[in-house]
Amino acid sequence: MLAALALGVCGVSAANAQQCDALDPSVAKLLQAMSSNAQQVNYSGVVTLQRGGDMQIMQLSHSVVNGQASEELSRLTGQDARVERSGHPTDCMHPGHQLLRAADVFGGSFCGLASVYRFRVQPGDRVAGRESLRLRVEPRDMYRFGHVIELDQDTALILKSSTFAADQSVLEQFQFASLTMKPGSAGESAVAHEASHPHPHETEHLRQGVAWELTWLPDGFMATDAALTTSERKSYTDGLASFSVFLEPLGAAIKPGEGVERQGSTVAYTRGVLLQRRPVLVTVLGEIPTNTARMLADSVRLR
């Protein structure tokens, strides 16, 4: 399925060819490095994550031993907790990585991303004492957010990332406050979560329900896996942003209305509807504008 994603993202029409040709080779090289290099290097540091009025400070460590990556994230503010992930192959690509690196097959054109985003490389600020390059990512439509990313000049590690709404307000910002290019020592906090890395066949346990589909997707978004038509969840990415749509059959109809909860760049949108006289609950969760989530919920149809 990942190979199919690679073909799909760069299989564009002649109308998009000019956009692909217009993508500066330096941008394509930077995207390639951002997607792959960060998995190959050791680093640790203190990071801040700002979402609206909420700020969290965390200790982050990433190490690579014999081609296996391990990560540890410990909260330094709020409730004491630690998340660990170990034994992650560095050559295993997540869907977003696959889309970013799909240009390997087509001479580095990155057509899929270039058709929905504009990219500009500029001199960056010093972040955590390291020189950076600034990558501006501007959406070509209203269905996704913009980004400003500060990348380490030596490793292309993301030092700072800001996500912007259409009115240029900052929705979310991640930044290293301190950084060293070696792994950190194990934290003392109790492990709250050991992150797993499921393979596609391991998602077959998802609850099965009615057959359904989306009749509309924003340009550039593609399925991240081969979910069955009856799976409760379908997930999509454009290589930078991602979202999932859930459909839950209900025993009885609920009052019309919608619920929206946003945290930073992530929205959770829910709506109870009748589809072919069957009551269902539709939920859209992802890094997209609220109106995009609403339009996705509108496009859900039973098959």
Side-chain angles (χ1 to χ4, degrees):
M1 183 60 189
L2 289 179
L5 287 176
L7 290 174
V9 75
C10 281
V12 297
S13 65
N16 286 334
Q18 186 174 359
Q19 293 174 336
C20 294
D21 293 340
L23 184 63
D24 192 292
S26 64
V27 174
K29 183 178 180 180
L30 201 56
L31 289 171
Q32 177 80 33
M34 181 179 72
S35 175
S36 59
N37 289 5
Q39 275 292 95
Q40 311 295 329
V41 298
N42 295 316
Y43 59 89
S44 63
V46 174
V47 300
T48 62
L49 178 61
Q50 179 97 34
R51 288 175 168 174
D54 177 62
M55 174 180 283
Q56 296 186 30
I57 303 175
M58 295 164 283
Q59 177 78 37
L60 173 63
S61 178
H62 180 274
S63 61
V64 181
V65 179
N66 298 325
Q68 299 283 313
S70 297
E71 295 173 344
E72 180 180 301
L73 182 67
S74 301
R75 293 182 60 176
L76 302 180
T77 55
Q79 185 178 359
D80 190 21
R82 190 167 92 246
V83 176
E84 290 184 351
R85 184 180 73 175
S86 59
H88 180 69
T90 58
D91 61 352
C92 179
M93 285 189 282
H94 295 279
H97 293 162
Q98 177 71 11
L99 294 178
L100 281 171
R101 297 177 65 179
D104 288 345
V105 185
F106 292 89
S109 65
F110 288 90
C111 299
L113 287 172
S115 67
V116 293
Y117 293 102
R118 297 182 182 90
F119 296 92
R120 287 187 293 158
V121 178
Q122 301 170 332
D125 295 329
R126 280 176 59 85
V127 180
R130 299 182 67 88
E131 299 295 335
S132 72
L133 288 174
R134 179 176 298 142
L135 180 63
R136 290 191 174 274
V137 185
E138 301 171 351
R140 294 182 181 271
D141 56 35
M142 66 180 72
Y143 305 123
R144 66 205 87 219
F145 294 128
H147 308 271
V148 175
I149 305 171
E150 305 276 351
L151 297 166
D152 181 54
Q153 286 191 3
D154 296 329
T155 64
L157 180 68
I158 297 177
L159 302 176
K160 179 179 178 180
S161 176
S162 302
T163 303
F164 292 86
D167 62 2
Q168 297 305 301
S169 60
V170 179
L171 298 172
E172 186 170 305
Q173 188 172 89
F174 162 93
Q175 179 175 347
F176 273 98
S178 65
L179 176 66
T180 180
M181 303 311 293
K182 61 181 181 181
S185 57
E188 298 180 356
S189 305
V191 176
H193 179 64
E194 291 185 1
S196 61
H197 184 259
H199 291 275
H201 72 273
E202 294 173 352
T203 63
E204 294 176 359
H205 71 278
L206 287 173
R207 186 168 62 245
Q208 303 297 306
V210 297
W212 60 285
E213 62 184 348
L214 295 178
T215 58
W216 174 82
L217 278 175
D219 288 344
F221 279 96
M222 302 180 65
T224 64
D225 53 32
L228 299 175
T229 59
T230 55
S231 294
E232 66 173 0
R233 184 264 303 151
K234 303 180 192 298
S235 297
Y236 303 85
T237 183
D238 66 0
L240 292 178
S242 61
F243 65 83
S244 295
V245 182
F246 301 82
L247 186 142
E248 179 184 354
L250 300 176
I254 61 176
K255 292 182 179 180
E258 61 181 15
V260 181
E261 181 70 25
R262 177 168 293 283
Q263 186 174 28
S265 62
T266 301
V267 67
Y269 177 89
T270 59
R271 183 196 298 172
V273 297
L274 286 174
L275 296 180
Q276 296 181 9
R277 298 183 179 181
R278 301 185 64 170
V280 298
L281 182 67
V282 177
T283 301
V284 182
L285 178 67
E287 306 149 338
I288 51 177
T290 301
N291 281 342
T292 304
R294 184 177 288 112
M295 293 171 69
L296 288 165
D298 287 341
S299 76
V300 173
R301 296 289 184 272
L302 297 185
R303 297 184 64 176

